[in-house]
Amino acid sequence: MLQFLIRRSFGAVLILVLISAFTFFMFFAIPQDPAMLACGKNCTPDALEIIHKNLGLDKPVTVQYWNFLIGIFAGRDFAVGHCAAPCFGVSFANNQNVWDTILDRFPLTVSLTVGSLVVFLIVGLGAGLLAAKNRGTWIDKVFSSGSLVISSLQIYFLGPLVLLALVYSTGWLEKPKYVPFSEDLGGWFAGLLIPWVVMATIFTANYTRMSRSSMIEQLQEEHVRAARAKGMSGNYTFFRYAWRGSLVPIVTILGIDLSALMGGGMVTEMTFGLAGIGRLALESVTNKDLPMLMGVMLVSAALIIVFNLIVDALYAVIDPRVRLS
């Protein structure tokens, strides 16, 4: 296990470096000068030169990229002040510290992503298990048919409908907003409940179908039949043997869906007017704000890599036959 984690950690660092290099050099393929954004409409050549120097844009691109990497681990000095490690630079648009801005948006995005993940795993896996346990009955047909209908919905379509039905028309729920978890637990839950449900709905349908098919397949395995032949109860074999084995393909798909979950978080934030990392990424692309875009991409990629490491490590827990080393 330790060797596996070490190998994956080195691979993760390499991936992050490649992502940062690709983003950095692709940005400089854009003809527009980034310093013009900070200079404003009434920009003069002297003011533009000062901005180039203050933001380090007067140096070759390769030197700028090297300074960016060094700043992440050792900090960096700008004309506007010192940027402590981890330093992702200073925003071209507003001269704000990139890392501080990301930290300010980070709790909302994590709350939104983890909350929706918990919801669709509980609902999706639970519905799939019930459908498999009652295969061929009306329960199975309802869950199977419902998952097909729900899978065709999209966040930007379902979100406004839920807002209209539960917020503006009836007033049963409050409009989505973010309240820090440490300040008000009830406000945090109530403010993100609708985004959680809407975002989780799209994934729930897929996990219901996968959980059902995987469980049905596991119920036909020889070790499950042998357990039944030894006189073990149906519920015991269902949860002790079949359910555990059915989680392996689901965990595999979950690792792949983590990136889609981050993308869904961006659409969800825009749909409900939440200011998280996804919305920050869109703003940085619109403003051609390289430091902010780099910081958002690296933090998002690091999150996905960490989640995938956790998912891979779960294989050995779920199925002892898997050897990660």
Side-chain angles (χ1 to χ4, degrees):
M1 176 71 74
L2 181 60
Q3 294 179 357
F4 165 78
L5 293 177
I6 292 175
R7 290 199 308 269
R8 290 299 301 270
S9 298
F10 278 115
V13 172
L14 178 60
I15 291 174
L16 291 175
V17 171
L18 292 176
I19 291 175
S20 65
F22 176 80
T23 307
F24 196 96
F25 292 106
M26 280 296 294
F27 183 88
F28 279 93
I30 300 175
Q32 184 176 355
D33 186 356
M36 292 295 295
L37 296 172
C39 194
K41 295 182 179 179
N42 301 321
C43 185
T44 64
D46 292 338
L48 189 62
E49 183 179 353
I50 293 174
I51 293 175
H52 273 101
K53 184 177 180 180
N54 290 345
L55 298 179
L57 298 174
D58 57 334
K59 298 172 182 170
V61 176
T62 53
V63 175
Q64 293 182 46
Y65 177 67
W66 175 251
N67 290 336
F68 171 79
L69 292 180
I70 295 299
I72 295 177
F73 301 99
R76 190 174 171 190
D77 290 320
F78 292 91
V80 294
H82 178 72
C83 178
C87 177
F88 290 92
V90 178
S91 171
F92 289 165
N94 53 26
N95 289 330
Q96 296 294 320
N97 188 297
V98 171
W99 179 245
D100 291 342
T101 304
I102 292 176
L103 283 182
D104 184 59
R105 305 283 190 99
F106 187 73
L108 189 154
T109 299
V110 172
S111 297
L112 182 62
T113 303
V114 175
S116 60
L117 175 67
V118 172
V119 171
F120 77 68
L121 283 180
I122 293 177
V123 177
L125 296 184
L129 291 179
L130 285 175
K133 188 174 180 59
N134 299 276
R135 183 182 181 185
T137 65
W138 66 269
I139 297 178
D140 182 21
K141 296 178 181 179
V142 167
F143 283 126
S144 299
S145 302
S147 64
L148 291 175
V149 174
I150 293 175
S151 62
S152 62
L153 301 176
Q154 297 298 325
I155 295 175
Y156 53 80
F157 171 77
L158 183 61
L161 291 181
V162 175
L163 284 176
L164 179 62
L166 300 181
V167 177
Y168 301 121
S169 297
T170 62
W172 291 347
L173 296 175
E174 61 181 55
K175 187 177 179 180
K177 62 181 180 179
Y178 175 69
V179 178
F181 178 87
S182 58
E183 295 181 6
D184 184 4
L185 178 60
W188 171 79
F189 182 85
L192 294 178
L193 180 59
I194 292 179
W196 282 342
V197 173
V198 171
M199 187 172 170
T201 299
I202 311 303
F203 293 90
T204 297
N206 294 330
Y207 282 83
T208 297
R209 296 198 304 270
M210 286 190 297
S211 178
R212 175 186 179 277
S213 60
S214 180
M215 176 59 75
I216 292 176
E217 181 180 349
Q218 285 296 314
L219 290 173
Q220 307 302 319
E221 293 288 337
E222 293 183 0
H223 67 281
V224 177
R225 294 182 177 181
R228 289 179 176 175
K230 291 180 180 180
M232 297 182 183
S233 66
N235 289 333
Y236 182 82
T237 56
F238 187 87
F239 290 102
R240 177 64 177 84
Y241 296 103
W243 180 73
R244 186 174 182 178
S246 69
L247 291 178
V248 175
I250 293 174
V251 169
T252 303
I253 301 300
L254 178 62
I256 299 174
D257 280 346
L258 288 175
S259 57
L261 190 63
M262 295 293 292
M266 179 184 298
V267 178
T268 304
E269 290 174 13
M270 296 302 299
T271 301
F272 296 104
L274 300 173
I277 291 182
R279 188 170 181 178
L280 182 62
L282 184 60
E283 293 171 355
S284 63
V285 171
T286 303
N287 296 329
K288 299 182 177 65
D289 191 351
L290 172 61
M292 194 66 71
L293 179 61
M294 293 276 291
V296 170
M297 289 193 64
L298 287 178
V299 170
S300 301
L303 282 176
I304 294 174
I305 290 173
V306 169
F307 284 146
N308 274 280
L309 283 174
I310 296 174
V311 167
D312 289 341
L314 285 175
Y315 286 136
V317 178
I318 296 174
D319 190 349
R321 295 172 297 177
V322 176
R323 293 294 180 263
L324 298 177
S325 59

